[in-house]
Amino acid sequence: MAAEQLDEIDAYRTMWRIRLFEEAVEDLYGRGMMHGTMHLSIGQEAVPTGACAALKEGDQITSTHRGHGHCIAKGADLGRSMAELLARDNGYCRGRGGSMHIADVATGNLGANGIVAGGPPIAAGAALSNQLRGTDQVCLCFHGDGAVGEGAWHEALTLASMWQLPVVFICENNKYGMSMSSEKAFKVEHLSEKAAAYGIPGLTVDGNDVEAVFESVNTAVERARAGGGPTFIEALTYRWRGHSKSDKNLYRTREEIAQWRAHDPIAAYAAVLLERDTATQEELNAVADEVRTEIRDAVRFGTQGDEPTVEAMLAGVYAPSPVDARELGARA
Amino acid sequence: MSDLRTMTYAEAVREAMATAMTNDDRVFLMGEDVGVYGGAFGVTNDLYERFGTDRVRDTTISELGIVGMGVGAALTGMRPIVEIQFSDFLCQAMDQVVNQAAKLHFMVGGQADVPLVIRTPGGSGTGAAAQHSQSLEAWFAHIPGLKVVMPSNATDAGSLLLAALEDPNPVLVLEHKLLYKQSFEVPAEFPRAHLGEGRIEREGTDLTIVATSIEVQRSVQAAEQLAQSGISAEVIDPRTIKPLDLPLILDSVSRTGRVLLVQESAKFGGFMAEVSASIAESPAFGDLQAPIKRLCGLDTPIPYSPKLERASVPQVEDIVAAASALVGEW
Ligand SMILES: Cc1ncc(C[n+]2csc(CCOP(=O)(O)OP(=O)(O)O)c2C)c(N)n1
Ligand SMILES: [Mg+2]
């Protein structure tokens, strides 16, 4: 069921899942147990958590290169996610995809994406399919501020608007696309102003406030489900870590990072929950401890997975066709 | 002989860009994170401090836009260098590369040139998976009007970039991300190079290995191992794949009578298919003592797993095995 109200403890738990999953990933990477590149969303947990809480079963998401949080908030299994990052056969993509390509199509996670703005047209296409198939599914498209610079983003919004498709674009404006400051890049005060160009609603919310994200996405999703077309939501947030491992953080100041770290979305929400008497400090601590155990289990699940094989990889390039042309050839 | 110095491939590219910008006011650089970040692979590093943000321009994430602006600037008297962060993102810019840059000079009857240089890293080996590891050279070499360069060492990275900047045509320079941090012995000044001039990287008499980009050094290493078992392999680096130094390859093949063609990208429709067909069409075909052999990447997107990734493209041991078979069985 779509949540009319956010389940507060669930949301708190999800944010911890994302945070601790990524801390574990960072640690494994630092110890040389994980390879490749990775993009951490530590500090941004409230956006996917609040946004995905507004979805119901069957709804879809498209994600980005910084996608661990989106996947976890959409309900991805921590073990299979960790196994994928550890390049094991029991990972979501059988070790072929890694951090930038986690997908769980059966549950509506149409996939992370290594290509900036690779997702928006796909999300619009899924929404078109929802419309054509007459379902009430909604697709939520996560993308960064940097994606707004790509032609693909504009094309997706143009088409989604023309056909009033059930898609919600949620822009995680974490102030930078790699080193390019979004303030420098885009001469509007709020990226949400761009929505006007497509004739769709646009709004800017505090992306470190999980409830504000939930409320705005929930309204947009309901609107989309009812045939009201797309919405563009800009969620203001900040990534604490560098863009990826190659980042020397030369384009921003230590003070700026410290300022945003002081607005930790998880700590802020804990304070709200205590203030409201929703939970005691002990109960909140217990949530984090439970998640810590989940993450430990996930790492164990991943490290115990088998190495993938070349044979299976080669057999996995094409989906099996109903008739193999080589068989036809053999008959001729 | 000029004095040799040690520098990385990335440093060589940077020095060549600095030289070009110093000598020619028309040269400027555009790309994502080429300024204060120093480039995703650290190639541009401090260039923005040395030449200023007018000439080292950080762009938004807009590959089609920046390549197109490169075309427009080149058309009107500038000498732009566009850096595309990963060669995979040329897919975003394809219209401007293929429909515009490549064809303009021809379509307007020679009224204008497009002296645009696009630099971009290709290749696998970093665990960046399928959308950040491709080798797309064959696509571009297939397009009349484009030139395609694949430097395999630091000297070539510098020399060929300078040659590309002197060329009145759009030139795509496909660098290799595994080479960036490697150190090479480099002459005090980059020797003048010409697009379309290959090089015999190592001389030999029993077989010819033609290899591109990272596979050149793997082939040289393989040749050294082969020498220990009494096989003398000649290694040829075409350096530019379009235009291609076919006479150099054909002459070598005629002398050795055997040829192994090594590329990182998948075999089907790849660049070495072109080399293979050109050998087969030439008189050198009559000198062959063994069928032409291609050793290429597997027919798969580049996988994330380090084990699978390594298995997907030719390694030194694969080259040794293929070369030994070619000599031993024929
Ligand atoms: C088409 C394309 N261009 C460039 C890149 C390299 N790249 C990866 S992420 C990134 C920055 C993206 O910024 P943003 O959309 O704001 O997302 P964030 O990283 O801040 O989450 C860049 C330039 C890419 N992956 N794809
Ligand atoms: Mg961003």
Side-chain angles (χ1 to χ4, degrees):
Chain A
M1 263 306 290
E4 308 213 322
Q5 265 197 319
L6 184 66
D7 183 321
E8 296 154 305
I9 297 298
D10 251 19
Y12 185 71
R13 184 187 307 278
T14 300
M15 289 198 286
W16 269 116
R17 281 198 178 124
I18 300 170
R19 172 79 47 97
L20 295 180
F21 180 88
E22 291 203 328
E23 284 182 1
V25 164
E26 197 175 26
D27 174 60
L28 288 165
Y29 192 85
R31 289 194 282 141
M33 291 172 68
M34 224 172 239
H35 91 141
T37 188
M38 73 189 47
H39 307 88
L40 301 175
S41 63
I42 293 175
Q44 306 184 184
E45 295 88 348
V47 185
T49 301
C52 287
L55 300 181
K56 66 176 187 177
E57 212 178 302
D59 285 342
Q60 302 125 336
I61 66 164
T62 63
S63 168
T64 68
H65 58 285
R66 201 176 303 287
H68 306 146
H70 311 144
C71 297
I72 291 170
K74 186 69 172 87
D77 180 79
L78 298 176
R80 291 187 66 195
S81 301
M82 196 60 88
E84 185 56 34
L85 272 87
L86 287 161
R88 303 305 161 105
D89 202 42
N90 56 347
Y92 267 114
C93 316
R94 306 194 62 185
R96 295 172 201 160
S99 165
M100 277 192 287
H101 303 291
I102 292 181
D104 183 13
V105 178
T107 65
N109 176 355
L110 304 182
N113 208 313
I115 297 297
V116 170
I122 295 174
L128 172 63
S129 160
N130 298 343
Q131 196 181 64
L132 288 172
R133 288 180 294 114
T135 71
D136 73 345
Q137 291 163 283
V138 173
C139 187
L140 191 59
C141 171
F142 290 101
H143 63 79
D145 48 289
V148 174
E150 289 281 10
W153 183 84
H154 295 267
E155 297 180 26
L157 269 82
T158 299
L159 287 157
S161 159
M162 173 169 73
W163 287 327
Q164 292 291 289
L165 300 177
V167 54
V168 176
F169 298 96
I170 177 149
C171 173
E172 300 177 302
N173 184 352
N174 57 8
K175 287 185 69 94
Y176 297 95
M178 215 157 148
S179 67
M180 174 55 74
S181 131
S182 57
E183 275 166 34
K184 217 187 275 175
F186 306 109
K187 307 297 188 218
V188 285
E189 199 182 336
H190 298 296
L191 284 178
S192 57
E193 292 166 40
K194 291 188 176 267
Y198 307 96
I200 65 174
L203 61 154
T204 296
V205 300
D206 178 354
N208 280 10
D209 177 345
V210 67
E211 295 192 348
V213 174
F214 170 76
E215 297 296 339
S216 63
V217 176
N218 202 35
T219 306
V221 165
E222 276 176 13
R223 195 182 122 84
R225 214 185 293 290
T231 302
F232 175 61
I233 297 171
E234 176 193 25
L236 301 175
T237 184
Y238 197 78
R239 72 169 149 69
W240 293 5
R241 300 294 194 266
H243 166 75
S244 69
K245 59 170 178 167
S246 72
D247 192 346
K248 299 194 219 75
N249 277 319
L250 298 172
Y251 52 88
R252 56 182 187 175
T253 61
R254 252 189 230 120
E255 292 71 41
E256 184 184 277
I257 300 174
Q259 254 171 33
W260 278 89
R261 286 184 74 123
H263 290 290
D264 178 353
I266 301 183
Y269 201 46
V272 170
L273 297 182
L274 290 173
E275 166 87 30
R276 259 184 218 157
D277 279 335
T278 309
T280 63
Q281 186 63 58
E282 290 68 40
E283 285 165 336
L284 293 183
N285 291 347
V287 169
D289 288 342
E290 283 157 26
V291 172
R292 218 161 262 128
T293 307
E294 287 176 15
I295 300 294
R296 216 170 293 134
D297 291 346
V299 174
R300 190 168 315 121
F301 177 82
T303 48
Q304 286 171 355
D306 291 333
E307 289 263 4
T309 66
V310 173
E311 293 69 32
M313 170 181 76
L314 287 173
V317 178
Y318 294 92
S321 304
V323 180
D324 189 326
R326 277 168 303 185
E327 288 169 27
L328 293 177
R331 244 183 283 147
Chain B
M1 274 305 289
S2 58
D3 292 334
L4 289 178
R5 56 204 172 123
T6 302
M7 64 165 41
T8 66
Y9 186 93
E11 285 164 355
V13 175
R14 186 185 317 141
E15 183 175 298
M17 288 194 287
T19 302
M21 282 198 276
T22 304
N23 294 343
D24 187 343
D25 285 344
R26 299 171 303 170
V27 177
F28 72 102
L29 171 70
M30 279 191 287
E32 294 158 15
D33 309 289
V34 296
V36 62
Y37 198 95
F41 292 91
V43 175
T44 49
N45 197 7
D46 62 347
L47 284 183
Y48 87 105
E49 281 170 2
R50 291 157 64 190
F51 295 94
T53 48
D54 272 355
R55 297 185 76 191
V56 181
R57 308 183 74 96
D58 264 330
T59 69
T60 54
I61 309 171
S62 315
E63 292 80 11
L64 179 74
I66 47 188
V67 173
M69 290 174 74
V71 174
L75 202 55
T76 50
M78 299 298 284
R79 292 264 166 173
I81 305 173
V82 167
E83 175 176 307
I84 296 293
Q85 208 163 69
F86 285 73
S87 70
D88 312 71
F89 313 153
L90 280 168
C91 295
Q92 270 69 18
M94 216 56 173
D95 173 60
Q96 287 295 334
V97 177
V98 174
N99 290 327
Q100 315 299 338
K103 297 175 174 50
L104 256 161
H105 171 80
F106 175 83
M107 288 191 302
V108 301
Q111 295 174 68
D113 299 339
V114 183
L116 166 67
V117 173
I118 304 174
R119 292 182 34 246
T120 186
S124 65
T126 65
Q131 295 173 332
H132 287 74
S133 306
Q134 297 170 88
S135 300
L136 299 173
E137 67 277 5
W139 287 7
F140 298 98
H142 186 65
I143 303 299
L146 294 179
K147 296 190 176 183
V148 183
V149 179
M150 297 182 85
S152 67
N153 59 63
T155 305
D156 276 358
S159 293
L160 291 169
L161 181 56
L162 291 171
L165 279 163
E166 283 180 8
D167 200 281
N169 295 287
V171 182
L172 179 63
V173 184
L174 292 167
E175 295 162 1
H176 198 292
K177 49 181 90 78
L178 283 188
L179 294 177
Y180 280 137
K181 286 190 178 145
Q182 269 189 36
S183 289
F184 296 84
E185 303 257 277
V186 173
E189 267 185 34
F190 293 122
R192 207 176 164 76
H194 303 280
L195 304 186
E197 194 176 54
R199 180 179 47 234
I200 297 177
E201 191 68 29
R202 184 187 195 281
E203 293 187 351
T205 53
D206 295 331
L207 86 155
T208 300
I209 303 178
V210 183
T212 48
S213 192
I214 188 92
E215 299 295 350
V216 173
Q217 60 175 247
R218 289 183 185 152
S219 296
V220 169
Q221 285 167 35
E224 278 153 17
Q225 291 184 27
L226 289 162
Q228 286 163 19
S229 29
I231 295 172
S232 165
E234 178 146 304
V235 178
I236 291 190
D237 177 1
R239 299 161 85 215
T240 59
I241 66 165
K242 179 79 177 286
L244 177 62
D245 193 348
L246 205 52
L248 183 78
I249 295 170
L250 297 180
D251 175 66
S252 174
V253 171
S254 286
R255 279 188 283 107
T256 64
R258 292 180 182 84
V259 63
L260 175 64
L261 306 172
V262 188
Q263 72 183 24
E264 181 173 354
S265 51
K267 185 190 235 173
F268 197 98
F271 166 67
M272 289 303 175
E274 176 60 34
V275 177
S276 171
S278 296
I279 295 169
E281 282 177 337
S282 80
F285 185 68
D287 298 321
L288 284 175
Q289 297 160 40
I292 299 166
K293 171 79 185 160
R294 280 180 291 161
L295 182 65
C296 306
L298 299 180
D299 194 13
T300 165
I302 298 295
Y304 165 68
S305 145
K307 173 192 155 187
L308 297 183
E309 185 178 25
R310 193 175 189 284
S312 297
V313 302
Q315 305 294 339
V316 176
E317 64 269 23
D318 304 317
I319 302 171
V320 170
S324 305
L326 202 54
V327 174
E329 290 168 20
W330 296 87

